Each structure stands twice: as C-alpha cells, then as structure tokens.
Amino acid sequence: MWWMGRQRAPLSGSSTPKVATAAKILFITNVHLAYPDPSFACKLWSVECREGNVVRVAPYIEGEYNPISFARYEIDARGGILLPSLCHSHIHLDKCFILDRCELIFGDFKEAMSVTGSAKARFPLDKEDLLSRGRKLIHESVDCGVTSMRAHVEIDDLVGFSGLDVALHLKEEAQLACHIQIAVFAQEALFSSAGDAEPGSNFRLLAEAVMRDGVDAVGSAPYVEPTIEQAKKNIELIFELASHASLTLVDFHLDYNLDPDSEPLIYEVVKQARKYCPAWKSHGPELFRRHITIGHATRLQLFTPKEWRHLQDAIGDLPITFVGLPNSDMYMQGRSQAGEPLGAPRSTLRVPYLSDKYNIQIAMNVNNVENAFTPQGSADPLALCTFGAAIFQAATKTDIQTLAKSVTITSKVAIGQTNVPLELYPQRGDIADFVILHGTQTLRQAVLNSPYDRTTIRNGIVVAHRRTRRWTAIKELPVSNTVDPISWWWYLLFPVSWPFLLLDNWASGPPKFLIS
C-alpha cells in the first residue's frame, strides 16, 4: 500500500504524561486511606509527596506539619478519603455535548449514527465549537478527579482532521492538569462497499493521521464494516498501521451487539496480536507502553462459562484490557427485547463477576457525554461505580474494591499509562496523582454514594478544587430536652396509673395537678 514505506520516529515513552515541574513538597493530612484492613482504614493518615511522588505515609498527628516553616503546601482533608486519581480510558472528545443537535425518534444505533453524522458534517466549519465543547469536557472531568484520559477523535471523509487539530491543541493546553492521550479513531467503515478488496479514503486519512506528532494510539470500530470478512481485515489493517507508525497502543470498539449468531471478533484481535506483537507480554517493564484495549464487547455477555475459559486461555499473556461502557451499552443494546417481561437485558460487561470468576481485566468508563449514543450521564467515572453496584448487584467488600479500581488503576492500565499504582491506598514511590473525596470517610461510601466536593491532585500539584455552595430554606430549630407532662385529666380518668405517677414524679416534686 502507498503508505507502507512511511515511517515515523518512535515516540519514546509516548504513553508517559508530560507535565510541568512538580510541587516541591505536598502534605495531605487528616485523611482516610482505602486500606482493605478495617483497623487501618478507620485511622487518619498523613501523606508526604516530594517532586511529584509519595515519599512517606504515616499516622496523622495534629500540628505535626507547619507549612510556614518550609516552601511547602499542605491540604487538610478533614477526614475525607484519598484515592488514586480517576481515568477516562475511553471517551470521545469531539462528539461530546451535541445532543441538542440530534433529534431522537427511535434512539437506536442506526439513528444515532445518522444524526451524529449530520452533526459531524459541521465540525470542520466551526473549530471554535469543537474547542469549546472539548474544553468543557476536560474541565468537568478534572473537576471530578480525572488526571488522564484516552480521547478518541474521529478521522474520516466527513470531518477530515478537524477533530485531531483541536485535540492536539487541547492536549497542550491541559497538560498541567490532565494527560490527554490522543487516539485517532475510525468510527466509519474503512471499506466503502461490500465488494471492495482494498480499503477506501477513510483508511488513507487514518494512515496520514497516525503520522502526526502527538498521536498516541490508533483504533477502529470493525463492526461497522459491510461484511464480517472486511471487519476482520479492518482489525488486521489497524495492527499493520500501528506497527508501521511505531505506535504500541491499539484500541478496538468491538463486538457491539447481543446477537448470538454473530461471530465474536475478539478472537481475530488475539490472532492479529500474536502476528504483529509477538514480543508483547502482560508483564515486564514494557507492559504499560504496549497495550490492546477492547471497548464495549457486549457480545461477550452471551458467553457460557466454557467460552469465557476458552477466551481466557486464548488471551494468555497478551496485554489486553476490556473497557465496559455501562451508560452507552445499557442505553443502546437489547432494544429488540423491550417487549419481554423483564425488558432489555443487562447488556454491559459484568465487571466484578468477570474479574473475580475469570481474572479478566476490565475497566469501566464514560464513553460519551450528552450525544445520541449516550444522552444521559456525566463525565464523572465514579458515578459508574454507583450505577454498577445496581446493575451488577455488587456491593460486597470485594466488589467495592473492584469497582473502584475499574475507574482508577485498571483504567490507567487499559490506556498504557506508566507509573500506575498497585493499590487503592498510596505507597512510597507512587506518583502523586490523587482525588480527595471530602465528607466521605470510607471506600464503600465513595463507591456507593460519591460526594460532589473533591480536590484533584496531579504530579503533586492541586489542579482542581470543587466545593458545594449551599442554600436552603430549611430552618434548624432547637430540640427541647424536656417532655411535656401528661394532662391532669388523664390521671383522673385512669386511677390505675397513680402508682406510676408517684414513682416517676415525686422525686422532682409533686405532680403539677396536685399543686394549688
């Protein structure tokens, strides 16, 4: 193919966030940590960070640190809980906040593709709009506690490079607060028609886009191709393209259906990964710079235990992470079963169950915010945990841990981020990327009823501080400590109560009705 001879210089450590100089010293005091041991989780701690890394975790002692004595910064968490910062492992930067331009009649996938296509046609004509909406998404995400994201930007005949140009600008603009990892993405088919043997102009544009400096990953949605053979060829082309562009982060939006007769394409991904990535393993120092991410995969919900074990064996040591997208999956899938007694099924990957049962690595993420594919929901990944507790019926201690990791640690692994913490509580050497949830003391509360008030910390620097401004018409009234005595006529009507009256009241004086 015409692009095969083009080589891009390897992006050394391209998955590593580039940030401004970290804060010299940061103390986070009076804070709860998400230790699994209750005897540690109930205590208050102090976390000391230097040059953007954790250097000390110790029991909190009031007045231990004096921020005036050194060039340092202290945050008094006032009993809130500290977690690893949140991560968007799958979010669309260019298609956010366009619901007002999409008239929904049926709300199905075909309609969503159509109305979104109409909205996309205007993207190249108004880059200021692209910039404004993308900036809003980033700001809201950082406010929630997000410090890293994989932002999908679509490349095709309709939008050209308009979304990519804006994403590259926003990546530079937000680098202090959030590492934006740009994935150039083919939402539209690479093959123009079912009879085509070679990909069309969409693929040529994608091949050009991956050569741009600042692009970190490449991906596609093979399920939109006209035929299953072309869908498989789509997967091979993306691996081939990534290989020749020196990209080691690949992302597929895959198996987005609930059709038991459809062939799962995950096995084609595994096949091509073995072909193009023979040295990729799920362990070792290169893990976080070589990763394959699978979004949606709702078809896998129909797998039997035997099929799950087969997939587990097929993946083996390949660095593959699935990303469930509950807001979109539940809204889009299962519509043909709306008339059934129980309605549409739970059509999103069961994060706690699959993680525990088959050791399948699954993150959760937002995907879209306010568009035809996902009209509901916010940019807050923690809200997915609360939703997940219901749809997965998962609220045990282990479930809570898994859900929390799915939007923090596992999401960071999914996008190939370096310096990922191993646990939900900070340890010496961890990167100082955190979110403090104020007014929340336990991990269970954080997952099941996450608070609005938060502080976001990236690389040891406070980058966002969100607080509730309260107003209420409710007036708090003092509660009386005295109890009004029983009316005198009650005692006259019921003489049997007189002995109890004497016992209860003579110690503090005779009953009022006996006093003249």
Side-chain angles (χ1 to χ4, degrees):
M1 296 181 184
W2 66 272
W3 52 269
M4 293 283 283
R6 300 182 64 186
Q7 294 279 339
R8 182 176 73 168
L11 297 178
S12 177
S14 62
S15 60
T16 305
K18 296 179 181 179
V19 297
T21 305
K24 292 292 183 180
I25 304 175
L26 171 69
F27 290 115
I28 306 167
T29 63
N30 196 13
V31 70
H32 282 94
L33 302 179
Y35 285 112
D37 186 338
S39 64
F40 287 94
C42 68
K43 295 180 180 179
L44 291 170
W45 300 84
S46 294
V47 180
E48 181 180 347
C49 308
R50 294 175 183 263
E51 305 292 342
N53 293 96
V54 176
V55 297
R56 180 172 176 260
V57 179
Y60 168 64
I61 301 174
E62 188 174 359
E64 177 182 9
Y65 299 115
N66 180 7
I68 299 176
S69 60
F70 297 97
R72 63 178 75 180
Y73 185 67
E74 179 180 349
I75 301 173
D76 183 351
R78 299 184 179 182
I81 190 168
L82 179 80
L83 295 179
S85 60
L86 307 175
C87 171
H88 283 320
S89 49
H90 182 133
I91 198 161
H92 290 266
L93 190 64
D94 48 0
K95 295 191 299 190
C96 60
F97 305 115
I98 59 170
L99 188 61
D100 59 338
R101 308 165 200 186
C102 303
E103 184 178 353
L104 303 182
I105 300 173
F106 304 105
D108 58 14
F109 184 80
K110 183 179 179 180
E111 181 185 70
M113 287 288 287
S114 176
V115 297
T116 301
S118 298
K120 281 171 57 179
R122 297 193 289 271
F123 288 0
L125 306 176
D126 193 353
K127 286 192 177 181
E128 283 299 319
D129 173 67
L130 273 169
L131 187 66
S132 175
R133 290 186 292 102
R135 185 178 286 141
K136 178 182 178 184
L137 180 66
I138 294 167
H139 282 208
E140 290 187 5
S141 299
V142 174
D143 281 348
C144 291
V146 172
T147 63
S148 56
M149 66 172 69
R150 171 169 292 174
H152 296 289
V153 289
E154 296 186 14
I155 306 293
D156 52 51
D157 284 333
L158 203 57
V159 296
F161 302 125
S162 56
L164 177 56
D165 292 338
V166 168
L168 289 169
H169 176 88
L170 290 171
K171 177 177 182 175
E172 182 70 21
E173 182 178 282
Q175 64 174 329
L176 175 65
C178 183
H179 172 56
I180 300 175
Q181 186 188 92
I182 296 176
V184 289
F185 173 65
Q187 175 67 73
E188 308 294 334
L190 299 182
F191 293 86
S192 301
S193 65
D196 291 348
E198 294 294 328
S201 57
N202 284 342
F203 178 71
R204 290 192 291 273
L205 287 170
L206 190 66
E208 187 176 345
V210 298
M211 307 304 295
R212 296 274 294 270
D213 288 338
V215 171
D216 302 286
V218 60
S220 69
Y223 57 82
V224 300
E225 297 294 349
T227 69
I228 187 68
E229 291 76 17
Q230 289 169 327
K232 291 180 179 180
K233 186 61 177 177
N234 176 306
I235 293 170
E236 182 179 10
L237 285 170
I238 294 299
F239 273 110
E240 193 174 282
L241 184 58
S243 176
H244 286 274
S246 301
L247 291 177
T248 56
L249 299 173
V250 180
D251 196 306
F252 291 105
H253 302 197
L254 202 71
D255 292 331
Y256 197 27
N257 65 77
L258 289 176
D259 181 3
D261 296 325
S262 66
E263 178 184 348
L265 290 172
I266 181 61
Y267 290 106
E268 185 65 25
V269 172
V270 171
K271 174 185 173 181
Q272 297 301 332
R274 296 290 179 195
K275 175 182 176 182
Y276 283 95
C277 320
W280 290 22
K281 305 292 182 182
S282 61
H283 53 78
E286 298 300 310
L287 166 62
F288 301 116
R289 289 191 292 274
R290 297 175 174 177
H291 218 83
I292 302 162
T293 310
I294 307 295
H296 296 294
T298 53
R299 169 65 177 83
L300 276 56
Q301 277 290 93
L302 304 180
F303 273 17
T304 64
K306 182 179 179 180
E307 288 174 314
W308 273 115
R309 287 191 291 270
H310 182 257
L311 178 59
Q312 184 183 13
D313 292 340
I315 292 174
D317 55 6
L318 285 173
I320 292 178
T321 301
F322 293 90
V323 182
L325 305 162
N327 284 345
S328 300
D329 298 342
M330 294 291 291
Y331 177 76
M332 277 291 167
Q333 296 298 319
R335 289 172 175 267
S336 63
Q337 300 178 51
E340 298 293 326
L342 292 178
R346 296 172 186 168
S347 52
T348 192
L349 292 173
R350 292 189 288 170
V351 176
Y353 176 80
L354 296 175
S355 177
D356 178 63
K357 186 79 172 178
Y358 302 107
N359 197 30
I360 298 289
Q361 192 164 242
I362 308 179
M364 272 199 309
N365 221 249
V366 168
N367 188 29
N368 294 298
V369 180
E370 290 186 33
N371 68 21
F373 296 95
T374 321
Q376 85 294 353
S378 70
D380 183 9
L382 265 181
L384 299 177
C385 295
T386 308
F387 184 39
I391 60 174
F392 304 137
Q393 298 178 333
T396 68
K397 182 178 179 180
T398 301
D399 294 335
I400 295 296
Q401 292 268 337
T402 303
L403 289 170
K405 287 181 179 179
S406 74
V407 296
T408 56
I409 297 170
T410 312
S411 272
K412 292 176 182 180
V413 170
I415 67 171
Q417 186 177 334
T418 56
N419 301 321
V420 178
L422 297 177
E423 301 292 346
L424 291 168
Y425 53 88
Q427 301 180 79
R428 183 172 181 176
D430 284 353
I431 190 169
D433 287 2
F434 302 117
V435 57
I436 301 173
L437 307 177
H438 298 282
T440 297
Q441 298 181 355
T442 68
L443 183 63
R444 175 169 290 181
Q445 290 174 324
V447 166
L448 300 182
N449 187 17
S450 55
Y452 179 86
D453 292 2
R454 305 181 190 185
T455 296
T456 307
I457 300 164
R458 178 165 184 246
N459 203 40
I461 301 172
V462 175
V463 295
H465 190 64
R466 189 171 78 173
R467 287 292 181 275
T468 305
R469 299 182 67 180
R470 290 185 173 88
W471 181 93
T472 179
I474 298 174
K475 181 180 180 181
E476 295 184 3
L477 300 175
V479 179
S480 174
N481 292 322
T482 61
V483 179
D484 291 336
I486 299 175
S487 299
W488 61 269
W489 55 263
W490 192 91
Y491 293 101
L492 294 177
L493 289 175
F494 300 99
V496 70
S497 65
W498 291 1
F500 298 99
L501 172 70
L502 295 175
L503 288 173
D504 291 338
N505 292 295
W506 276 114
S508 57
K512 292 183 179 180
F513 73 90
L514 296 179
I515 301 175
S516 59

